[in-house]
Coordinates of all heavy atoms in Angstrom, one line a residue:
G389 N -4.3 -32.3 10.4 CA -4.4 -33.5 11.3 C -3.3 -33.1 12.4 O -3.4 -32.1 13.0
A390 N -2.5 -34.1 12.7 CA -1.5 -34.0 13.7 C -0.3 -33.0 13.4 O 0.4 -32.7 14.3 CB -0.9 -35.4 14.1
F391 N -0.3 -32.7 12.1 CA 0.9 -31.8 11.9 C 0.4 -30.7 10.9 O 0.1 -30.9 9.7 CB 2.0 -32.6 11.1 CG 3.2 -31.9 10.9 CD1 4.2 -31.7 12.0 CD2 3.5 -31.2 9.7 CE1 5.3 -31.0 11.8 CE2 4.6 -30.5 9.5 CZ 5.6 -30.4 10.6
S392 N 0.2 -29.5 11.5 CA -0.3 -28.4 10.7 C 0.6 -27.1 10.9 O 1.0 -26.8 12.1 CB -1.7 -28.1 11.1 OG -2.1 -26.9 10.3
F393 N 1.1 -26.6 9.9 CA 2.0 -25.3 10.0 C 1.7 -24.4 8.8 O 1.2 -24.8 7.8 CB 3.5 -25.7 10.2 CG 4.0 -26.4 9.0 CD1 4.6 -25.7 8.0 CD2 4.0 -27.8 8.9 CE1 5.2 -26.3 6.8 CE2 4.4 -28.4 7.7 CZ 5.1 -27.6 6.8
A394 N 2.2 -23.2 9.1 CA 2.0 -22.2 8.0 C 3.4 -21.8 7.5 O 4.4 -21.8 8.2 CB 1.3 -20.9 8.6
T395 N 3.5 -21.5 6.2 CA 4.7 -21.0 5.5 C 4.4 -19.8 4.8 O 3.3 -19.4 4.5 CB 5.2 -22.0 4.5 OG1 4.3 -22.2 3.5 CG2 5.6 -23.4 5.2
T396 N 5.5 -19.0 4.6 CA 5.4 -17.7 3.9 C 6.1 -17.8 2.6 O 7.2 -18.4 2.5 CB 6.1 -16.6 4.7 OG1 5.5 -16.6 6.0 CG2 5.8 -15.3 4.0
T397 N 5.3 -17.4 1.5 CA 5.9 -17.6 0.2 C 5.6 -16.4 -0.7 O 4.8 -15.6 -0.3 CB 5.4 -18.9 -0.5 OG1 6.0 -19.1 -1.8 CG2 3.8 -18.7 -0.8
S398 N 6.2 -16.3 -1.8 CA 6.1 -15.2 -2.7 C 4.7 -15.1 -3.2 O 4.0 -16.2 -3.5 CB 7.0 -15.2 -3.9 OG 6.9 -14.2 -4.7
C399 N 4.1 -13.9 -3.3 CA 2.8 -13.8 -3.7 C 2.6 -14.0 -5.2 O 3.3 -13.4 -6.0 CB 2.2 -12.3 -3.4 SG 0.6 -11.9 -4.0
P400 N 1.8 -15.0 -5.6 CA 1.6 -15.4 -7.0 C 1.0 -14.3 -7.9 O 1.2 -14.2 -9.0 CB 0.9 -16.6 -7.0 CG 0.0 -16.6 -5.7 CD 0.9 -15.8 -4.7
K401 N 0.2 -13.5 -7.2 CA -0.6 -12.4 -8.0 C 0.3 -11.3 -8.5 O 0.2 -10.9 -9.6 CB -1.8 -11.9 -7.1 CG -2.7 -11.0 -7.9 CD -3.8 -10.5 -7.0 CE -4.9 -9.7 -7.9 NZ -5.5 -10.4 -9.0
C402 N 1.2 -10.9 -7.6 CA 2.0 -9.8 -8.0 C 3.5 -10.1 -8.3 O 4.3 -9.3 -8.6 CB 2.0 -8.6 -6.9 SG 2.7 -9.2 -5.3
G403 N 3.7 -11.4 -8.2 CA 5.1 -12.0 -8.4 C 6.0 -11.5 -7.3 O 7.3 -11.6 -7.6
G404 N 5.5 -11.2 -6.1 CA 6.4 -10.8 -5.1 C 6.8 -9.3 -5.1 O 7.6 -8.9 -4.1
T405 N 6.2 -8.6 -5.9 CA 6.7 -7.1 -6.0 C 5.8 -6.3 -5.1 O 6.1 -5.2 -4.7 CB 6.5 -6.6 -7.4 OG1 5.0 -6.6 -7.8 CG2 7.4 -7.3 -8.4
G406 N 4.6 -6.8 -4.6 CA 3.7 -6.1 -3.8 C 2.8 -5.1 -4.5 O 2.1 -4.3 -3.8
K407 N 2.9 -5.0 -5.8 CA 2.2 -3.9 -6.5 C 1.7 -4.5 -7.9 O 2.4 -5.5 -8.4 CB 2.9 -2.7 -6.7 CG 4.2 -2.9 -7.4 CD 5.0 -1.6 -7.5 CE 6.4 -1.8 -8.2 NZ 7.2 -0.5 -8.2
L408 N 0.7 -3.9 -8.5 CA 0.2 -4.3 -9.8 C 0.2 -3.1 -10.7 O -0.3 -2.0 -10.3 CB -1.2 -4.8 -9.7 CG -1.4 -6.1 -8.8 CD1 -2.9 -6.4 -8.6 CD2 -0.6 -7.3 -9.3
I409 N 0.9 -3.2 -11.8 CA 1.0 -2.1 -12.7 C 0.0 -2.3 -13.9 O 0.3 -3.3 -14.6 CB 2.5 -2.0 -13.3 CG1 3.5 -1.7 -12.2 CG2 2.5 -0.9 -14.3 CD1 4.8 -1.7 -12.7
H410 N -1.0 -1.5 -13.9 CA -2.1 -1.7 -15.0 C -1.8 -1.0 -16.2 O -2.1 -1.4 -17.3 CB -3.4 -1.2 -14.4 CG -3.9 -2.0 -13.2 ND1 -4.2 -3.3 -13.2 CD2 -4.0 -1.6 -11.8 CE1 -4.6 -3.7 -12.0 NE2 -4.5 -2.7 -11.2
T411 N -1.0 0.1 -16.1 CA -0.7 0.8 -17.4 C 0.9 1.0 -17.3 O 1.4 2.0 -16.7 CB -1.3 2.3 -17.4 OG1 -2.7 2.1 -17.1 CG2 -1.1 3.0 -18.7
P412 N 1.6 0.1 -17.9 CA 3.1 0.2 -17.9 C 3.6 1.3 -18.7 O 3.0 1.7 -19.7 CB 3.5 -1.2 -18.4 CG 2.4 -1.7 -19.2 CD 1.1 -1.2 -18.6
C413 N 4.8 1.7 -18.3 CA 5.5 2.7 -19.1 C 5.9 2.1 -20.4 O 6.4 1.0 -20.5 CB 6.7 3.2 -18.3 SG 7.9 4.2 -19.2
K414 N 5.6 2.9 -21.5 CA 5.9 2.4 -22.8 C 7.4 2.3 -23.2 O 7.8 1.6 -24.1 CB 5.2 3.2 -23.9 CG 3.7 3.1 -23.8 CD 3.0 3.8 -24.9 CE 1.4 3.8 -24.8 NZ 0.7 4.5 -25.9
T415 N 8.1 3.1 -22.5 CA 9.6 3.2 -22.7 C 10.4 2.1 -22.2 O 11.1 1.5 -22.8 CB 10.2 4.5 -22.1 OG1 9.5 5.7 -22.7 CG2 11.7 4.6 -22.4
C416 N 10.0 1.6 -20.9 CA 10.7 0.5 -20.3 C 9.8 -0.8 -20.3 O 10.2 -1.8 -19.6 CB 11.2 0.9 -19.0 SG 9.9 1.3 -17.8
N417 N 8.5 -0.7 -20.8 CA 7.6 -1.8 -20.6 C 7.4 -2.3 -19.2 O 7.1 -3.4 -19.0 CB 8.1 -3.0 -21.5 CG 8.2 -2.6 -23.0 OD1 7.2 -2.0 -23.6 ND2 9.2 -3.1 -23.7
G418 N 7.3 -1.3 -18.3 CA 7.0 -1.6 -16.9 C 8.2 -2.1 -16.1 O 8.1 -2.4 -14.8
A419 N 9.3 -2.2 -16.7 CA 10.5 -2.7 -15.9 C 11.1 -1.7 -15.0 O 11.7 -2.1 -14.1 CB 11.6 -3.2 -16.9
G420 N 11.0 -0.5 -15.3 CA 11.5 0.6 -14.6 C 13.0 0.9 -14.9 O 13.5 1.9 -14.4

């Protein structure tokens, strides 16, 4: 209506990392 604006927030799909790891490293469990 009279007040509309956009905000930027962390991506919920990737958790803010910008990438998706489908096969994580078994040594570190994907932590790096």
Side-chain angles (χ1 to χ4, degrees):
F391 190 81
S392 178
F393 63 93
T395 60
T396 305
T397 187
S398 179
C399 176
K401 187 175 184 65
C402 64
T405 63
K407 59 186 180 181
L408 300 174
I409 299 177
H410 298 293
T411 309
C413 171
K414 292 182 179 180
T415 302
C416 64
N417 295 319

